[in-house]
Structure formats: structure tokens, C-alpha cells
Amino acid sequence: MSGELSVDGYKIDGPSQQILRALRGGGWVSSGALRDAADLDDNRQVSYRMERHLGPAELVLEAVRDEPERESRRFKLSEKGEAWVEDHAEELLAPTTREEIADLAQQGYKEGTEAKESVQRYRKKLSRYKSQVEDVRDQLEHIRDHHDEYFNRVNSVEKESEDSRERSKEAKQGVKELREAVGTRATAESMESVIEDVSVVERRLTAVESKQAGLAREQAETARTRALVGRLVKPAGYVAAGALAVYLAVLISVLVLAPGLVASVLVGGVTGALGVVAGIGGVVYARGTGLLP
């Protein structure tokens, strides 16, 4: 070490400092390991420093041994020792011998070389990362351009969709109004059709009633005619019988007597008149009795 240290008046020489440095970490360390760490000849030198300096200064603790003759002594830092070592870490970690200095230099060189190589590797990685970042930046720019394009397309599609929804609403409203108009018109047309049908039925009923009235009048007239004819049936029968009898008598007289031409004409005229009277009487009689319609 560069110089001796002390704790509460107890001297902490170079080997003691190496022992304290070896005890850092909190675990139990055997006296043999501490001897090697302090580069001492035997364990008695370790025990001397523990019993005369480090122990009385309350920097170390010793483990209890069940078989002292067979077990080696073990030590570790106390809480006071841990605090003291942390406070004097720079002095305890400084190299003390040429070998330590050489080892430290070799270690520094090795670490420096590794650090240099590591820096070179990191530079290469950084260059690759930088290139990758540039590529990513270009991709981001490309994506941003496409994003703007897609955003404009989305806005356009949304606007078209909104227009479509408005047109759909208008179409639905138009269909609804058209349905209502069609329903109203169909109802009006149905009513007009019903009214027309009723008018046709009324006209038909009127025509039937007219026909029935005409038939009733005809039946009444027929009944009156039949009644009148019925009253004339007997007189007509009598007239017809009389006329027929007279006609036969005249005819027989003409045939028997055979008078001259004048008499034949007169007799023919009388005979025709009597025949007409007889025919009328026969017709009246037939109508009155139902023989003729």
C-alpha cells in the first residue's frame, strides 16, 4: 500500500489492508485464503494481525469452531468493518506490489484493447444501425405518403358513404310516400269501382223493377182483358151460334132454290157478313174460354 492506516489507534499495515480487501463481499473466509491474499508465509501471521489489530479494532468477526484442533479459523467483516472498508475503498484497492501494478497494467491494457475493439464493433454496428435508420426513415416517408393517400381515399369513401346514406334515406322516404300515395290511390280507385258497381247494380235493379212494373201492368191489362172477354163469353157464344145457324140456313136455301144472279150476290153478301160475324163471335168465345192466348 502507499501508507499505513489506523482505526481507533490500531495499526492497519499493508498485509492487514489486503486481508480486509479479501474479506469484502460479506462471506466467511478461511485463514489460509487470507494468507494467500496477503502474500504471507503462514497462517500465524494472519492470526497475529487478527488478534492484535483487526479484531481489537472491531473490524472482523471470527466463526465459532466445534473442533478447534481440526478446523481452520474463519473470518468475515463486521458491520463496522464493512463501513470502514467502503469509506477507504480507494486506498484498499490501490496496488501495493510490482506484481499487482504489472497485473493491473496488463489488465488495463487488455481492458483498453477490448474497449477499443468494442468501440470499433460498436461503430460498425452504429453505422449499420444508422443505415437501417435511414432505410426506416425512407420507409416511414413512403408510408406517410401512402398514409396521406389512404387518408384522402378514406375521407372520399366516407363522404361517398355519407352521400349514399342520404340518398338511401331520400329513396326510402320516396318509397314510403309512393306507397302511401299508391295506397290512397288504390283506396280511391277501389271506392270509385265500388261506387260504379253500386251504380250498375242500382241501374240493373231499376231495370228489373221497370220490367216487373211492365209485367205487372201487362198482367193487370191481361187480367182486365180476360175479365172483359169473360163477361162477353156468353153473348159472343150466343151470337156465334145464331150467326152459324143463320149462315147454314141461308146456304141450304140457296142450294135448294138456286135463284138468279142478283139473288146469289145478295145471298153471298149476306152470307159473308154472317160468316164474319160468326168468326168474330168464335174468336171472342175462344179468348174468353182460354182456348186462344
Side-chain angles (χ1 to χ4, degrees):
M1 295 287 179
S2 60
E4 293 183 351
L5 300 174
S6 63
V7 178
D8 298 335
Y10 295 98
K11 184 177 64 174
I12 309 298
D13 60 0
S16 297
Q17 295 179 21
Q18 292 179 352
I19 290 173
L20 292 175
R21 183 170 64 180
L23 290 174
R24 294 182 65 191
W28 294 99
V29 182
S30 65
S31 58
L34 295 176
R35 180 198 62 207
D36 295 338
D39 195 20
L40 298 174
D41 295 331
D42 55 43
N43 293 343
R44 287 178 297 177
Q45 293 175 327
V46 174
S47 298
Y48 170 78
R49 287 173 173 77
M50 290 294 183
E51 295 171 357
R52 295 293 182 93
H53 302 284
L54 301 179
E58 299 179 350
L59 297 180
V60 296
L61 298 174
E62 184 177 1
V64 178
R65 294 179 293 172
D66 295 333
E67 298 180 2
E69 296 180 356
R70 299 181 61 182
E71 295 180 11
S72 62
R73 302 176 73 180
R74 293 182 301 158
F75 303 91
K76 76 172 184 177
L77 291 176
S78 63
E79 293 182 0
K80 181 179 178 179
E82 290 180 355
W84 188 87
V85 168
E86 292 298 328
D87 292 339
H88 300 79
E90 293 183 0
E91 292 88 343
L92 294 177
L93 296 177
T96 58
T97 63
R98 293 181 178 180
E99 289 80 4
E100 290 181 350
I101 294 173
D103 292 340
L104 185 60
Q106 182 67 26
Q107 183 179 359
Y109 176 78
K110 182 179 179 182
E111 291 177 354
T113 303
E114 292 178 353
K116 181 179 179 180
E117 294 176 354
S118 178
V119 168
Q120 292 177 350
R121 289 195 299 271
Y122 282 131
R123 284 181 178 177
K124 292 181 181 179
K125 290 182 180 181
L126 182 60
S127 177
R128 289 197 300 270
Y129 292 154
K130 184 178 180 180
S131 177
Q132 292 176 0
V133 168
E134 293 295 332
D135 294 339
V136 171
R137 184 177 297 172
D138 294 338
Q139 292 177 3
L140 288 175
E141 291 293 333
H142 182 70
I143 291 173
R144 185 179 293 109
D145 295 338
H146 282 281
H147 176 268
D148 294 338
E149 182 180 356
Y150 292 149
F151 183 76
N152 294 331
R153 289 182 181 178
V154 168
N155 289 336
S156 177
V157 171
E158 288 181 350
K159 188 176 183 303
E160 292 179 358
S161 177
E162 186 66 25
D163 295 339
S164 299
R165 284 195 293 269
E166 292 296 331
R167 289 195 295 270
S168 177
K169 290 181 180 179
E170 294 176 357
K172 289 181 179 179
Q173 184 65 27
V175 170
K176 182 179 179 180
E177 295 176 355
L178 180 60
R179 286 180 177 175
E180 293 177 354
V182 170
T184 303
R185 183 174 179 182
T187 302
E189 291 180 354
S190 299
M191 291 299 296
E192 292 177 359
S193 177
V194 170
I195 293 172
E196 184 177 356
D197 293 341
V198 170
S199 299
V200 172
V201 172
E202 288 179 348
R203 289 195 296 271
R204 290 181 179 178
L205 289 175
T206 302
V208 171
E209 290 177 354
S210 298
K211 289 182 180 180
Q212 289 179 350
L215 291 175
R217 288 194 297 273
E218 289 180 1
Q219 289 177 357
E221 187 68 26
T222 301
R224 288 194 298 271
T225 302
R226 287 183 178 179
L228 179 59
V229 172
R231 289 194 299 271
L232 296 176
V233 170
K234 289 183 179 181
Y238 295 150
V239 172
L244 181 59
V246 173
Y247 177 72
L248 291 176
V250 172
L251 183 57
I252 291 172
S253 297
V254 171
L255 291 176
V256 173
L257 297 178
L261 180 59
V262 177
S264 299
V265 173
L266 290 175
V267 171
V270 173
T271 303
L274 293 174
V276 171
V277 173
I280 292 172
V283 171
V284 172
Y285 178 78
R287 295 250 344 213
T289 57
L291 297 175
L292 292 176

